[in-house]
Amino acid sequence: MIDRIVGFGDSWIYGDGLVDISDHSKGSWQYREQNCLIGQLAQCLGIEYDSAQVVNHGTSGGSLQSTVWDFAKWAQ
């Protein structure tokens, strides 16, 4: 059973451009995190969203090389 997701990648993984247009009073980071690719995968797998269970290491504007570096740093 999958109970944790860790994602690495570029702006697609990061969720660049996802903004909650219905409520500008709160930070849009939570909306972005829950609706990006990693957040949607967690929802499909029935994983409760929280920062310990769903970790997004995506980088807006990241490259393949930066993804490899981010993963290597996380893996150590």
Side-chain angles (χ1 to χ4, degrees):
M1 178 172 166
I2 298 173
D3 59 355
R4 184 173 184 212
I5 298 175
V6 180
F8 300 87
D10 59 4
S11 57
W12 286 84
I13 301 299
Y14 176 76
D16 194 28
L18 292 174
V19 179
D20 185 2
I21 59 173
S22 66
D23 186 4
H24 291 289
S25 64
K26 64 180 180 180
S28 64
W29 67 269
Q30 185 176 13
Y31 179 85
R32 180 186 55 79
E33 289 281 325
Q34 291 178 345
N35 291 286
C36 68
L37 184 64
I38 300 299
Q40 292 293 312
L41 181 60
Q43 185 179 30
C44 288
L45 293 173
I47 299 172
E48 186 74 27
Y49 181 85
D50 99 25
S51 60
Q53 299 301 106
V54 182
V55 182
N56 187 343
H57 288 288
T59 304
S60 182
S63 65
L64 179 58
Q65 187 63 55
S66 67
T67 300
V68 171
W69 290 334
D70 290 341
F71 176 76
K73 186 167 71 171
W74 176 80
Q76 288 179 356

